[in-house]
Structure formats: structure tokens, C-alpha cells
Amino acid sequence: MAHPKRKTSKARRDKRRTHYKAERPTLATCKETGAVHLPHRAYLVDGNLYYNGKLIIENAASA
């Protein structure tokens, strides 16, 4: 089983971990409703379900 020959310093360890960071989610704005939502996903506006700017289900919250 492999094991390290030398102790990895905190600086070296942290340099390796610099690429692991939280990214801001990409948001899209609907041209029909003006709602901000995640792209390629359905979203609710006033109880109606929209996808790609089109009304999919009317009053989806009560369904």
C-alpha cells in the first residue's frame, strides 16, 4: 500500500485545493414573465408552471 515519504506541508496542500471552490449558479431571465430561474428547468410564476417561456401547467401549485 502506498504511503507518503514526506509530510505534505499546509501550503502545498492548500495550493492543490485552490481549484475546489463554490461557483455561482448561472441564471436565465424569462422574456415572457421576467422571472429569474435556472436555465433548462421549469419554474413557477404565480402558481403557473413555465418552461422555455411557454405555459406548461396552469395553476400547478394547486394540482
Side-chain angles (χ1 to χ4, degrees), residues 27-57:
L27 297 174
T29 306
C30 178
K31 293 174 186 157
E32 300 295 319
T33 62
V36 178
H37 60 90
L38 291 169
H40 306 291
R41 284 171 179 73
Y43 52 95
L44 283 170
V45 178
D46 297 329
N48 297 326
L49 189 69
Y50 287 87
Y51 181 76
N52 202 15
K54 298 179 184 104
L55 180 63
I56 302 299
I57 301 173

PDB file of all heavy atoms in Angstrom, residues 27-57:
ATOM      1  N   LEU A  27     -27.926  31.945 -14.094  1.00  0.00           N
ATOM      2  CA  LEU A  27     -29.354  32.223 -14.074  1.00  0.00           C
ATOM      3  C   LEU A  27     -29.799  32.774 -15.419  1.00  0.00           C
ATOM      4  O   LEU A  27     -29.038  33.441 -16.116  1.00  0.00           O
ATOM      5  CB  LEU A  27     -29.689  33.226 -12.965  1.00  0.00           C
ATOM      6  CG  LEU A  27     -29.408  32.753 -11.543  1.00  0.00           C
ATOM      7  CD1 LEU A  27     -29.650  33.876 -10.559  1.00  0.00           C
ATOM      8  CD2 LEU A  27     -30.254  31.556 -11.190  1.00  0.00           C
ATOM      9  N   ALA A  28     -31.042  32.490 -15.768  1.00  0.00           N
ATOM     10  CA  ALA A  28     -31.634  32.994 -17.001  1.00  0.00           C
ATOM     11  C   ALA A  28     -32.864  33.815 -16.644  1.00  0.00           C
ATOM     12  O   ALA A  28     -33.488  33.608 -15.603  1.00  0.00           O
ATOM     13  CB  ALA A  28     -32.021  31.840 -17.911  1.00  0.00           C
ATOM     14  N   THR A  29     -33.215  34.758 -17.504  1.00  0.00           N
ATOM     15  CA  THR A  29     -34.409  35.584 -17.306  1.00  0.00           C
ATOM     16  C   THR A  29     -35.414  35.261 -18.402  1.00  0.00           C
ATOM     17  O   THR A  29     -35.070  35.266 -19.587  1.00  0.00           O
ATOM     18  CB  THR A  29     -34.049  37.081 -17.360  1.00  0.00           C
ATOM     19  OG1 THR A  29     -33.007  37.325 -16.419  1.00  0.00           O
ATOM     20  CG2 THR A  29     -35.243  37.939 -17.003  1.00  0.00           C
ATOM     21  N   CYS A  30     -36.635  34.983 -18.010  1.00  0.00           N
ATOM     22  CA  CYS A  30     -37.698  34.658 -18.963  1.00  0.00           C
ATOM     23  C   CYS A  30     -38.139  35.927 -19.686  1.00  0.00           C
ATOM     24  O   CYS A  30     -38.391  36.956 -19.063  1.00  0.00           O
ATOM     25  CB  CYS A  30     -38.872  34.023 -18.229  1.00  0.00           C
ATOM     26  SG  CYS A  30     -40.246  33.634 -19.324  1.00  0.00           S
ATOM     27  N   LYS A  31     -38.258  35.851 -21.006  1.00  0.00           N
ATOM     28  CA  LYS A  31     -38.695  37.011 -21.793  1.00  0.00           C
ATOM     29  C   LYS A  31     -40.196  37.256 -21.654  1.00  0.00           C
ATOM     30  O   LYS A  31     -40.665  38.368 -21.808  1.00  0.00           O
ATOM     31  CB  LYS A  31     -38.333  36.787 -23.264  1.00  0.00           C
ATOM     32  CG  LYS A  31     -36.840  36.779 -23.495  1.00  0.00           C
ATOM     33  CD  LYS A  31     -36.503  36.411 -24.913  1.00  0.00           C
ATOM     34  CE  LYS A  31     -34.995  36.284 -25.055  1.00  0.00           C
ATOM     35  NZ  LYS A  31     -34.605  35.442 -26.164  1.00  0.00           N
ATOM     36  N   GLU A  32     -40.941  36.184 -21.354  1.00  0.00           N
ATOM     37  CA  GLU A  32     -42.399  36.311 -21.228  1.00  0.00           C
ATOM     38  C   GLU A  32     -42.809  36.843 -19.843  1.00  0.00           C
ATOM     39  O   GLU A  32     -43.606  37.762 -19.739  1.00  0.00           O
ATOM     40  CB  GLU A  32     -43.066  34.954 -21.463  1.00  0.00           C
ATOM     41  CG  GLU A  32     -42.799  34.359 -22.827  1.00  0.00           C
ATOM     42  CD  GLU A  32     -43.406  35.178 -23.953  1.00  0.00           C
ATOM     43  OE1 GLU A  32     -44.536  35.662 -23.802  1.00  0.00           O
ATOM     44  OE2 GLU A  32     -42.728  35.335 -24.984  1.00  0.00           O
ATOM     45  N   THR A  33     -42.262  36.253 -18.788  1.00  0.00           N
ATOM     46  CA  THR A  33     -42.703  36.586 -17.436  1.00  0.00           C
ATOM     47  C   THR A  33     -41.724  37.478 -16.686  1.00  0.00           C
ATOM     48  O   THR A  33     -42.085  38.082 -15.684  1.00  0.00           O
ATOM     49  CB  THR A  33     -42.909  35.299 -16.612  1.00  0.00           C
ATOM     50  OG1 THR A  33     -41.657  34.611 -16.511  1.00  0.00           O
ATOM     51  CG2 THR A  33     -43.938  34.394 -17.250  1.00  0.00           C
ATOM     52  N   GLY A  34     -40.470  37.522 -17.121  1.00  0.00           N
ATOM     53  CA  GLY A  34     -39.457  38.306 -16.421  1.00  0.00           C
ATOM     54  C   GLY A  34     -38.910  37.608 -15.191  1.00  0.00           C
ATOM     55  O   GLY A  34     -38.163  38.199 -14.417  1.00  0.00           O
ATOM     56  N   ALA A  35     -39.260  36.338 -15.004  1.00  0.00           N
ATOM     57  CA  ALA A  35     -38.803  35.574 -13.844  1.00  0.00           C
ATOM     58  C   ALA A  35     -37.351  35.148 -14.032  1.00  0.00           C
ATOM     59  O   ALA A  35     -36.929  34.805 -15.129  1.00  0.00           O
ATOM     60  CB  ALA A  35     -39.682  34.344 -13.650  1.00  0.00           C
ATOM     61  N   VAL A  36     -36.587  35.166 -12.938  1.00  0.00           N
ATOM     62  CA  VAL A  36     -35.207  34.677 -12.951  1.00  0.00           C
ATOM     63  C   VAL A  36     -35.232  33.225 -12.496  1.00  0.00           C
ATOM     64  O   VAL A  36     -35.823  32.890 -11.469  1.00  0.00           O
ATOM     65  CB  VAL A  36     -34.334  35.545 -12.014  1.00  0.00           C
ATOM     66  CG1 VAL A  36     -32.919  35.015 -11.990  1.00  0.00           C
ATOM     67  CG2 VAL A  36     -34.358  36.991 -12.471  1.00  0.00           C
ATOM     68  N   HIS A  37     -34.602  32.336 -13.286  1.00  0.00           N
ATOM     69  CA  HIS A  37     -34.662  30.905 -12.997  1.00  0.00           C
ATOM     70  C   HIS A  37     -33.397  30.233 -13.502  1.00  0.00           C
ATOM     71  O   HIS A  37     -32.590  30.836 -14.210  1.00  0.00           O
ATOM     72  CB  HIS A  37     -35.886  30.282 -13.663  1.00  0.00           C
ATOM     73  CG  HIS A  37     -35.884  30.444 -15.164  1.00  0.00           C
ATOM     74  ND1 HIS A  37     -35.327  29.521 -15.997  1.00  0.00           N
ATOM     75  CD2 HIS A  37     -36.339  31.444 -15.953  1.00  0.00           C
ATOM     76  CE1 HIS A  37     -35.446  29.932 -17.247  1.00  0.00           C
ATOM     77  NE2 HIS A  37     -36.060  31.104 -17.248  1.00  0.00           N
ATOM     78  N   LEU A  38     -33.213  28.975 -13.128  1.00  0.00           N
ATOM     79  CA  LEU A  38     -32.108  28.184 -13.640  1.00  0.00           C
ATOM     80  C   LEU A  38     -32.406  27.803 -15.089  1.00  0.00           C
ATOM     81  O   LEU A  38     -33.550  27.462 -15.408  1.00  0.00           O
ATOM     82  CB  LEU A  38     -31.923  26.913 -12.815  1.00  0.00           C
ATOM     83  CG  LEU A  38     -31.420  27.100 -11.392  1.00  0.00           C
ATOM     84  CD1 LEU A  38     -31.532  25.798 -10.621  1.00  0.00           C
ATOM     85  CD2 LEU A  38     -29.992  27.590 -11.394  1.00  0.00           C
ATOM     86  N   PRO A  39     -31.412  27.869 -15.975  1.00  0.00           N
ATOM     87  CA  PRO A  39     -31.678  27.535 -17.376  1.00  0.00           C
ATOM     88  C   PRO A  39     -31.999  26.048 -17.558  1.00  0.00           C
ATOM     89  O   PRO A  39     -31.521  25.203 -16.809  1.00  0.00           O
ATOM     90  CB  PRO A  39     -30.375  27.905 -18.087  1.00  0.00           C
ATOM     91  CG  PRO A  39     -29.339  27.894 -17.035  1.00  0.00           C
ATOM     92  CD  PRO A  39     -30.026  28.263 -15.759  1.00  0.00           C
ATOM     93  N   HIS A  40     -32.814  25.753 -18.559  1.00  0.00           N
ATOM     94  CA  HIS A  40     -33.216  24.386 -18.919  1.00  0.00           C
ATOM     95  C   HIS A  40     -33.997  23.702 -17.805  1.00  0.00           C
ATOM     96  O   HIS A  40     -33.931  22.483 -17.664  1.00  0.00           O
ATOM     97  CB  HIS A  40     -31.997  23.537 -19.301  1.00  0.00           C
ATOM     98  CG  HIS A  40     -31.165  24.146 -20.374  1.00  0.00           C
ATOM     99  ND1 HIS A  40     -31.584  24.265 -21.676  1.00  0.00           N
ATOM    100  CD2 HIS A  40     -29.938  24.723 -20.327  1.00  0.00           C
ATOM    101  CE1 HIS A  40     -30.654  24.863 -22.385  1.00  0.00           C
ATOM    102  NE2 HIS A  40     -29.645  25.159 -21.589  1.00  0.00           N
ATOM    103  N   ARG A  41     -34.726  24.481 -17.011  1.00  0.00           N
ATOM    104  CA  ARG A  41     -35.561  23.914 -15.958  1.00  0.00           C
ATOM    105  C   ARG A  41     -36.896  24.634 -15.921  1.00  0.00           C
ATOM    106  O   ARG A  41     -36.968  25.820 -16.216  1.00  0.00           O
ATOM    107  CB  ARG A  41     -34.873  24.043 -14.591  1.00  0.00           C
ATOM    108  CG  ARG A  41     -33.754  23.027 -14.431  1.00  0.00           C
ATOM    109  CD  ARG A  41     -32.952  23.302 -13.188  1.00  0.00           C
ATOM    110  NE  ARG A  41     -31.881  22.349 -12.984  1.00  0.00           N
ATOM    111  CZ  ARG A  41     -30.771  22.297 -13.689  1.00  0.00           C
ATOM    112  NH1 ARG A  41     -30.582  23.136 -14.688  1.00  0.00           N
ATOM    113  NH2 ARG A  41     -29.837  21.412 -13.416  1.00  0.00           N
ATOM    114  N   ALA A  42     -37.922  23.902 -15.524  1.00  0.00           N
ATOM    115  CA  ALA A  42     -39.247  24.503 -15.376  1.00  0.00           C
ATOM    116  C   ALA A  42     -39.253  25.370 -14.123  1.00  0.00           C
ATOM    117  O   ALA A  42     -38.500  25.130 -13.176  1.00  0.00           O
ATOM    118  CB  ALA A  42     -40.306  23.408 -15.275  1.00  0.00           C
ATOM    119  N   TYR A  43     -40.106  26.405 -14.109  1.00  0.00           N
ATOM    120  CA  TYR A  43     -40.158  27.323 -12.978  1.00  0.00           C
ATOM    121  C   TYR A  43     -41.586  27.805 -12.771  1.00  0.00           C
ATOM    122  O   TYR A  43     -42.393  27.856 -13.691  1.00  0.00           O
ATOM    123  CB  TYR A  43     -39.205  28.511 -13.200  1.00  0.00           C
ATOM    124  CG  TYR A  43     -39.410  29.210 -14.531  1.00  0.00           C
ATOM    125  CD1 TYR A  43     -40.210  30.334 -14.624  1.00  0.00           C
ATOM    126  CD2 TYR A  43     -38.812  28.733 -15.680  1.00  0.00           C
ATOM    127  CE1 TYR A  43     -40.413  30.959 -15.840  1.00  0.00           C
ATOM    128  CE2 TYR A  43     -39.001  29.351 -16.894  1.00  0.00           C
ATOM    129  CZ  TYR A  43     -39.802  30.465 -16.971  1.00  0.00           C
ATOM    130  OH  TYR A  43     -40.006  31.079 -18.172  1.00  0.00           O
ATOM    131  N   LEU A  44     -41.901  28.112 -11.509  1.00  0.00           N
ATOM    132  CA  LEU A  44     -43.250  28.576 -11.133  1.00  0.00           C
ATOM    133  C   LEU A  44     -43.318  30.092 -11.121  1.00  0.00           C
ATOM    134  O   LEU A  44     -42.411  30.756 -10.615  1.00  0.00           O
ATOM    135  CB  LEU A  44     -43.606  28.063  -9.733  1.00  0.00           C
ATOM    136  CG  LEU A  44     -44.011  26.594  -9.631  1.00  0.00           C
ATOM    137  CD1 LEU A  44     -44.094  26.190  -8.177  1.00  0.00           C
ATOM    138  CD2 LEU A  44     -45.317  26.353 -10.329  1.00  0.00           C
ATOM    139  N   VAL A  45     -44.398  30.644 -11.676  1.00  0.00           N
ATOM    140  CA  VAL A  45     -44.684  32.074 -11.613  1.00  0.00           C
ATOM    141  C   VAL A  45     -46.176  32.201 -11.310  1.00  0.00           C
ATOM    142  O   VAL A  45     -47.011  31.789 -12.113  1.00  0.00           O
ATOM    143  CB  VAL A  45     -44.356  32.794 -12.942  1.00  0.00           C
ATOM    144  CG1 VAL A  45     -44.704  34.260 -12.848  1.00  0.00           C
ATOM    145  CG2 VAL A  45     -42.893  32.632 -13.291  1.00  0.00           C
ATOM    146  N   ASP A  46     -46.508  32.743 -10.145  1.00  0.00           N
ATOM    147  CA  ASP A  46     -47.900  32.932  -9.718  1.00  0.00           C
ATOM    148  C   ASP A  46     -48.708  31.637  -9.808  1.00  0.00           C
ATOM    149  O   ASP A  46     -49.855  31.627 -10.234  1.00  0.00           O
ATOM    150  CB  ASP A  46     -48.579  34.025 -10.552  1.00  0.00           C
ATOM    151  CG  ASP A  46     -47.911  35.372 -10.366  1.00  0.00           C
ATOM    152  OD1 ASP A  46     -47.390  35.624  -9.257  1.00  0.00           O
ATOM    153  OD2 ASP A  46     -47.909  36.166 -11.324  1.00  0.00           O
ATOM    154  N   GLY A  47     -48.094  30.516  -9.426  1.00  0.00           N
ATOM    155  CA  GLY A  47     -48.803  29.234  -9.410  1.00  0.00           C
ATOM    156  C   GLY A  47     -48.852  28.536 -10.759  1.00  0.00           C
ATOM    157  O   GLY A  47     -49.391  27.445 -10.866  1.00  0.00           O
ATOM    158  N   ASN A  48     -48.317  29.145 -11.809  1.00  0.00           N
ATOM    159  CA  ASN A  48     -48.299  28.531 -13.134  1.00  0.00           C
ATOM    160  C   ASN A  48     -46.892  28.012 -13.426  1.00  0.00           C
ATOM    161  O   ASN A  48     -45.906  28.651 -13.104  1.00  0.00           O
ATOM    162  CB  ASN A  48     -48.702  29.537 -14.215  1.00  0.00           C
ATOM    163  CG  ASN A  48     -50.112  30.028 -14.029  1.00  0.00           C
ATOM    164  OD1 ASN A  48     -50.980  29.302 -13.581  1.00  0.00           O
ATOM    165  ND2 ASN A  48     -50.334  31.280 -14.358  1.00  0.00           N
ATOM    166  N   LEU A  49     -46.818  26.854 -14.064  1.00  0.00           N
ATOM    167  CA  LEU A  49     -45.543  26.245 -14.385  1.00  0.00           C
ATOM    168  C   LEU A  49     -45.148  26.598 -15.815  1.00  0.00           C
ATOM    169  O   LEU A  49     -45.919  26.371 -16.752  1.00  0.00           O
ATOM    170  CB  LEU A  49     -45.631  24.726 -14.231  1.00  0.00           C
ATOM    171  CG  LEU A  49     -44.324  23.962 -14.336  1.00  0.00           C
ATOM    172  CD1 LEU A  49     -43.442  24.266 -13.132  1.00  0.00           C
ATOM    173  CD2 LEU A  49     -44.573  22.482 -14.424  1.00  0.00           C
ATOM    174  N   TYR A  50     -43.955  27.184 -15.958  1.00  0.00           N
ATOM    175  CA  TYR A  50     -43.448  27.596 -17.264  1.00  0.00           C
ATOM    176  C   TYR A  50     -42.187  26.821 -17.589  1.00  0.00           C
ATOM    177  O   TYR A  50     -41.427  26.435 -16.717  1.00  0.00           O
ATOM    178  CB  TYR A  50     -43.096  29.090 -17.266  1.00  0.00           C
ATOM    179  CG  TYR A  50     -44.291  29.999 -17.275  1.00  0.00           C
ATOM    180  CD1 TYR A  50     -44.909  30.383 -16.092  1.00  0.00           C
ATOM    181  CD2 TYR A  50     -44.789  30.502 -18.470  1.00  0.00           C
ATOM    182  CE1 TYR A  50     -45.993  31.229 -16.097  1.00  0.00           C
ATOM    183  CE2 TYR A  50     -45.876  31.361 -18.488  1.00  0.00           C
ATOM    184  CZ  TYR A  50     -46.476  31.716 -17.298  1.00  0.00           C
ATOM    185  OH  TYR A  50     -47.552  32.563 -17.305  1.00  0.00           O
ATOM    186  N   TYR A  51     -41.952  26.613 -18.883  1.00  0.00           N
ATOM    187  CA  TYR A  51     -40.696  26.061 -19.373  1.00  0.00           C
ATOM    188  C   TYR A  51     -40.418  26.670 -20.727  1.00  0.00           C
ATOM    189  O   TYR A  51     -41.286  26.663 -21.600  1.00  0.00           O
ATOM    190  CB  TYR A  51     -40.741  24.532 -19.484  1.00  0.00           C
ATOM    191  CG  TYR A  51     -39.430  23.965 -19.958  1.00  0.00           C
ATOM    192  CD1 TYR A  51     -38.347  23.880 -19.102  1.00  0.00           C
ATOM    193  CD2 TYR A  51     -39.261  23.545 -21.277  1.00  0.00           C
ATOM    194  CE1 TYR A  51     -37.130  23.390 -19.527  1.00  0.00           C
ATOM    195  CE2 TYR A  51     -38.056  23.050 -21.714  1.00  0.00           C
ATOM    196  CZ  TYR A  51     -36.986  22.979 -20.835  1.00  0.00           C
ATOM    197  OH  TYR A  51     -35.776  22.490 -21.267  1.00  0.00           O
ATOM    198  N   ASN A  52     -39.238  27.215 -20.895  1.00  0.00           N
ATOM    199  CA  ASN A  52     -38.804  27.814 -22.153  1.00  0.00           C
ATOM    200  C   ASN A  52     -39.752  28.935 -22.589  1.00  0.00           C
ATOM    201  O   ASN A  52     -40.026  29.099 -23.776  1.00  0.00           O
ATOM    202  CB  ASN A  52     -38.702  26.729 -23.238  1.00  0.00           C
ATOM    203  CG  ASN A  52     -37.800  27.137 -24.364  1.00  0.00           C
ATOM    204  OD1 ASN A  52     -37.027  28.090 -24.233  1.00  0.00           O
ATOM    205  ND2 ASN A  52     -37.884  26.444 -25.480  1.00  0.00           N
ATOM    206  N   GLY A  53     -40.275  29.699 -21.629  1.00  0.00           N
ATOM    207  CA  GLY A  53     -41.151  30.823 -21.922  1.00  0.00           C
ATOM    208  C   GLY A  53     -42.575  30.449 -22.252  1.00  0.00           C
ATOM    209  O   GLY A  53     -43.384  31.307 -22.585  1.00  0.00           O
ATOM    210  N   LYS A  54     -42.909  29.168 -22.174  1.00  0.00           N
ATOM    211  CA  LYS A  54     -44.265  28.718 -22.512  1.00  0.00           C
ATOM    212  C   LYS A  54     -44.961  28.183 -21.274  1.00  0.00           C
ATOM    213  O   LYS A  54     -44.349  27.538 -20.427  1.00  0.00           O
ATOM    214  CB  LYS A  54     -44.196  27.623 -23.575  1.00  0.00           C
ATOM    215  CG  LYS A  54     -43.585  28.098 -24.876  1.00  0.00           C
ATOM    216  CD  LYS A  54     -43.527  26.968 -25.880  1.00  0.00           C
ATOM    217  CE  LYS A  54     -42.828  27.445 -27.120  1.00  0.00           C
ATOM    218  NZ  LYS A  54     -41.467  26.952 -27.243  1.00  0.00           N
ATOM    219  N   LEU A  55     -46.250  28.445 -21.184  1.00  0.00           N
ATOM    220  CA  LEU A  55     -47.056  27.946 -20.073  1.00  0.00           C
ATOM    221  C   LEU A  55     -47.262  26.447 -20.260  1.00  0.00           C
ATOM    222  O   LEU A  55     -47.807  26.004 -21.266  1.00  0.00           O
ATOM    223  CB  LEU A  55     -48.410  28.665 -20.031  1.00  0.00           C
ATOM    224  CG  LEU A  55     -49.367  28.254 -18.929  1.00  0.00           C
ATOM    225  CD1 LEU A  55     -48.795  28.571 -17.570  1.00  0.00           C
ATOM    226  CD2 LEU A  55     -50.702  28.938 -19.115  1.00  0.00           C
ATOM    227  N   ILE A  56     -46.817  25.665 -19.296  1.00  0.00           N
ATOM    228  CA  ILE A  56     -46.929  24.213 -19.380  1.00  0.00           C
ATOM    229  C   ILE A  56     -48.159  23.727 -18.603  1.00  0.00           C
ATOM    230  O   ILE A  56     -48.991  23.033 -19.130  1.00  0.00           O
ATOM    231  CB  ILE A  56     -45.650  23.533 -18.828  1.00  0.00           C
ATOM    232  CG1 ILE A  56     -44.431  23.998 -19.603  1.00  0.00           C
ATOM    233  CG2 ILE A  56     -45.765  22.026 -18.899  1.00  0.00           C
ATOM    234  CD1 ILE A  56     -44.416  23.681 -21.075  1.00  0.00           C
ATOM    235  N   ILE A  57     -48.247  24.129 -17.328  1.00  0.00           N
ATOM    236  CA  ILE A  57     -49.375  23.720 -16.490  1.00  0.00           C
ATOM    237  C   ILE A  57     -49.933  24.956 -15.803  1.00  0.00           C
ATOM    238  O   ILE A  57     -49.197  25.695 -15.138  1.00  0.00           O
ATOM    239  CB  ILE A  57     -48.947  22.678 -15.425  1.00  0.00           C
ATOM    240  CG1 ILE A  57     -48.368  21.438 -16.101  1.00  0.00           C
ATOM    241  CG2 ILE A  57     -50.128  22.303 -14.539  1.00  0.00           C
ATOM    242  CD1 ILE A  57     -47.771  20.455 -15.128  1.00  0.00           C
TER     243      ILE A  57
END
